[in-house]
Amino acid sequence: MIADLLRVPDELSARIPAEQRGPGLSRDAVRLLVSRGTAEAGHHSFGELPDLLVAGDVLVVNTSRTLPAAVDGRIGDGRGRGEPVVVHFSTRGDRWHPAGRAVAGRWAVELRSPDGHGSTRPRAGGPAGLVVRLPGGARLALEAPVDPGGVRLWWARVTGVRVPELMRRHGRPIRYGYTDRDQPLAAYQTVFAVDAPGGGSAEMPSAARPFTAELVTRLVSRGVQFAPVALHTGVASAEAFEPPYPERFVVPPVTAWLVNAARARRRAAGGTPAGRIVAVGTTAVRALESAAGADGRVRPAAGWTDLVVTPERGVRAVDSLLTGLHEPTASHLLMLEAVASAAAGTAAGEMLRGAYAAAVRGRYLWHEFGDLHLVLPD
């Protein structure tokens, strides 16, 4: 839909975090594009978010921490020769049973080639049996593609060290070529991130990055509620329209109660703007919708989700979305269109085309350090 009409210039990639763009700036020094139905998109600063929400609205936030998931390795004989690679540890396979097969103890990984500038470029995985030597004498062996028809993500086993310890000692945040330089892991953590045993995301749940403690306090003082979920994300898709694969998630009882209560109050009030369920990022949408029944009621849930939210499936619990600006070929746009359909009905396509065109004209910034887009019901 958007892919046919839009090209995002390279110079609109956010290359450094907002707080590094000038003296005195903080994380919330980004812009906020606001879409409401067929109305022309509005332009705001992110600090104005409390003025755009009302008491009773619920912000659903992902509490997953970002992992230092990029680790250097080498394909070769261990004597310094062989092809250098960067291993992106994506998703731990414990308790995932695709096609009824247990894969405990494995990780889904992506092999990337160093680009000579501190970042990486794509590299096909495989073949099965390939061994990558890692720091500290550890070894990684590729076993099989995650998707039988794919070449990017592979199941692999690591011997000689536990992967969390390997990442803690030798890992760094995953970084792509549009950024200027490496950043500390703290730059990739959100204010909502909490430690969870065995949990963590290969890449930051970036829609929540601009929130600061001060902004959260302002929102709470306005009567906006926060509902936590966890969805431990894998590496971003490198392929056009590649759908997401299963990821671990948790929707706790308190979040189910908050969301259901807000939706009930809104129905009882007959259309009041209060009580909107605003997912902060596509990860929050996937987690919450994985716990929502056909009636829209959310129930506590935990485990693995293979849900792909599309316009055909629609959304059941979420009616608003705060998200980054996505590449025109990203599969996330299908989820965005599903939320836009809930917010604007048959005008969803018009809403998104207008919003993305306005973002390009307005020189909004893309990617994890970039600007935000708020989709609200008409």
Side-chain angles (χ1 to χ4, degrees):
M1 179 183 63
I2 296 175
D4 297 332
L5 302 172
L6 180 71
R7 187 188 71 83
V8 181
D10 290 342
E11 64 268 21
L12 296 187
S13 295
R15 303 192 181 281
I16 56 175
E19 62 271 22
Q20 297 178 16
R21 295 176 196 151
L25 296 180
S26 63
R27 284 178 172 229
D28 60 1
V30 297
R31 302 168 69 190
L32 180 63
L33 189 73
V34 179
S35 296
R36 283 192 182 91
T38 57
E40 184 176 346
H43 302 276
H44 299 265
S45 69
F46 190 73
E48 295 176 78
L49 182 62
D51 300 323
L52 298 166
L53 302 177
V54 298
D57 286 342
V58 177
L59 286 170
V60 182
V61 297
N62 188 358
T63 61
S64 182
R65 292 187 67 84
T66 308
L67 300 171
V71 178
D72 291 326
R74 186 175 290 274
I75 300 168
D77 59 5
R79 298 187 178 91
R81 297 187 294 267
E83 176 192 357
V85 294
V86 178
V87 180
H88 287 178
F89 286 92
S90 180
T91 305
R92 197 178 67 184
D94 300 29
R95 297 180 297 281
W96 182 5
H97 299 264
R101 299 190 307 274
V103 290
R106 294 196 289 183
W107 280 75
V109 303
E110 178 186 21
L111 299 188
R112 307 270 296 188
S113 295
D115 65 0
H117 303 286
S119 182
T120 61
R121 57 179 179 267
R123 177 196 184 281
L130 182 74
V131 173
V132 178
R133 296 183 181 272
L134 300 171
R139 292 160 57 99
L140 177 147
L142 298 184
E143 294 187 341
V146 170
D147 179 349
V151 296
R152 186 173 72 94
L153 291 170
W154 282 68
W155 287 118
R157 288 187 184 274
V158 173
T159 56
V161 68
R162 294 179 64 249
V163 172
E165 182 66 13
L166 175 73
M167 288 191 284
R168 188 185 69 81
R169 291 184 177 182
H170 302 289
R172 60 186 181 277
I174 289 174
R175 175 194 159 201
Y176 293 113
Y178 51 77
T179 57
D180 277 352
R181 55 182 178 270
D182 286 345
Q183 298 288 342
L185 184 60
Y188 290 87
Q189 303 293 8
T190 75
V191 71
F192 305 111
V194 296
D195 285 320
S201 291
E203 297 188 6
M204 173 176 56
S206 56
R209 188 186 190 278
F211 284 88
T212 63
E214 293 77 12
L215 184 60
V216 170
T217 300
R218 287 175 54 206
L219 285 160
V220 171
S221 70
R222 292 290 296 268
V224 175
Q225 298 174 302
F226 286 84
V229 298
L231 186 117
H232 303 302
T233 65
V235 295
S237 170
E239 306 296 334
F241 301 113
E242 182 182 2
Y245 52 89
E247 293 167 316
R248 285 177 295 139
F249 81 106
V250 178
V251 175
V254 65
T255 291
W257 185 90
L258 284 169
V259 170
N260 293 334
R263 286 170 56 85
R265 286 195 303 270
R266 191 172 185 195
R267 286 194 302 269
T272 175
R276 293 170 294 194
I277 308 303
V278 186
V280 179
T282 57
T283 62
V285 175
R286 194 182 200 197
L288 196 65
E289 290 292 320
S290 296
D295 58 357
R297 185 170 182 80
V298 176
R299 295 165 177 83
W304 290 90
T305 177
D306 58 2
L307 176 66
V308 179
V309 178
T310 64
E312 292 73 27
R313 188 267 186 189
V315 288
R316 298 169 178 174
V318 172
D319 55 27
S320 306
L321 175 62
L322 177 67
T323 184
L325 294 163
H326 301 290
E327 290 289 349
T329 57
S331 61
H332 294 305
L333 285 177
L334 294 175
M335 181 184 291
L336 182 58
E337 186 179 351
V339 178
S341 296
T346 58
E350 181 181 347
M351 168 200 274
L352 293 180
R353 283 190 293 270
Y356 270 64
V360 172
R361 289 195 306 270
R363 312 296 289 173
Y364 279 68
L365 297 180
W366 259 251
H367 301 304
E368 66 267 29
F369 298 137
D371 297 315
L372 276 291
H373 182 201
L374 177 62
V375 177
L376 293 173
D378 190 357

